[in-house]
Amino acid sequence: DTEVTQTPKHLVMGMTNKKSLKCEQHMGHRAMYWYKQKAKKPPELMFVYSYEKLSINESVPSRFSPECPNSSLLNLHLHALQPEDSALYLCASSHKTPFYNEQFFGPGTRLTVL
Amino acid sequence: SQQGEEDPQALSIQEGENATMNCSYKTSINNLQWYRQNSGRGLVHLILIRSNEREKHSGRLRVTLDTSKKSSSLLITASRAADTASYFCATEGGTGTASKLTFGTGTRLQVTL
């Protein structure tokens, strides 16, 4: 299985809602990533988990809260988002060697904040 | 931002022609990777070139890396309509748990019949 799956595919939420994005992989990868991508822009790294521990937080606002319950799952909890947070949210995973890491991406969750 | 720059921003060619995209970056790297993204979907890894390599081939893809100029190019030969997508270079820097990818601005490639 060489897939990274993400649910839901689309999400519309109000600014007062709480929702979660889910990501799953069964490739035995021990590094997992969240990216945010605005239209016609490159992906921007948000968080990196390495061996289920948060290793990089790119100064992301606290209304985004990541969680890695086990080596196959990655969640992104959303609360009190702003309309400018509307974007495609991509999850990725990779082997955790020191470097030379090809990343495998999921199809993304398209988030709209009203 | 440590983001790399790619040029051209957009490229339109006919099927069968070659497409060349260029990437420049700012910091020292462990490797440079190229990804393809079809409209609004996930990214697909194409090729990785290590910092001590100068050229790499994979099928119709040829990648070069010049670390002295901090630049790379991706050549797609004999392009097909299915190659229509956005192409991003990404540099990997840092070590261990701090290793991460930084994506370039991207090139939108349109291949017409």
Side-chain angles (χ1 to χ4, degrees):
Chain A
D1 185 356
T2 58
E3 254 195 333
V4 175
T5 59
Q6 289 187 245
T7 56
K9 290 184 180 178
H10 301 275
L11 179 62
V12 179
M13 60 186 291
M15 289 189 285
T16 59
N17 292 158
K18 286 185 181 180
K19 296 286 184 183
S20 296
L21 310 185
K22 296 184 184 301
C23 173
E24 190 166 3
Q25 57 89 15
H26 295 287
M27 293 178 278
H29 292 165
R30 302 309 295 273
M32 296 186 78
Y33 313 80
W34 280 114
Y35 292 87
K36 173 183 177 180
Q37 186 178 27
K38 303 284 269 184
K40 297 188 178 180
K41 296 291 186 182
E44 293 182 352
L45 182 66
M46 300 174 72
F47 303 104
V48 180
Y49 272 83
S50 177
Y51 294 95
E52 295 90 69
K53 294 190 189 308
L54 183 65
S55 62
I56 295 177
N57 176 341
E58 293 285 89
S59 302
V60 179
S62 60
R63 57 186 184 268
F64 294 91
S65 175
E67 178 196 20
C68 191
N70 60 56
S71 60
S72 299
L73 292 174
L74 186 65
N75 298 321
L76 186 62
H77 302 297
L78 314 173
H79 174 54
L81 295 192
Q82 303 297 310
E84 60 263 31
D85 296 322
S86 297
L88 181 68
Y89 287 84
L90 295 162
C91 173
S93 69
S94 72
H95 288 293
K96 197 52 198 167
T97 58
F99 32 81
Y100 311 140
N101 295 311
E102 167 192 353
Q103 292 190 12
F104 292 76
F105 282 80
T109 293
R110 186 158 303 280
L111 174 68
T112 302
V113 182
L114 301 175
Chain B
S1 168
Q2 300 298 307
Q3 198 176 81
E5 296 287 328
E6 289 184 56
D7 78 272
Q9 289 187 342
L11 179 61
S12 183
I13 60 174
Q14 290 191 317
E15 207 172 44
E17 294 181 335
N18 296 342
T20 300
M21 297 160 233
N22 303 296
C23 168
S24 61
Y25 57 92
K26 298 174 184 176
T27 62
S28 62
I29 61 172
N30 299 323
N31 64 74
L32 186 143
Q33 305 178 32
W34 286 89
Y35 288 80
R36 183 186 75 227
Q37 184 176 34
N38 290 91
S39 180
R41 304 187 66 181
L43 283 79
V44 174
H45 181 267
L46 296 176
I47 194 165
L48 181 155
I49 185 165
R50 300 182 181 191
S51 59
N52 61 354
E53 296 176 314
R54 292 296 167 258
E55 187 170 315
K56 201 160 183 181
H57 297 256
S58 176
R60 293 183 297 112
L61 305 180
R62 172 178 171 257
V63 170
T64 62
L65 179 64
D66 186 334
T67 52
S68 67
K69 295 181 179 178
K70 291 187 168 58
S71 68
S72 173
S73 68
L74 171 68
L75 169 67
I76 304 174
T77 60
S79 63
R80 306 166 181 168
D83 295 327
T84 295
S86 291
Y87 291 81
F88 294 95
C89 67
T91 52
E92 181 169 17
T95 58
T97 56
S99 170
K100 64 180 185 180
L101 284 183
T102 302
F103 285 85
T105 50
T107 294
R108 291 189 304 280
L109 174 65
Q110 176 79 41
V111 181
T112 56
L113 296 172

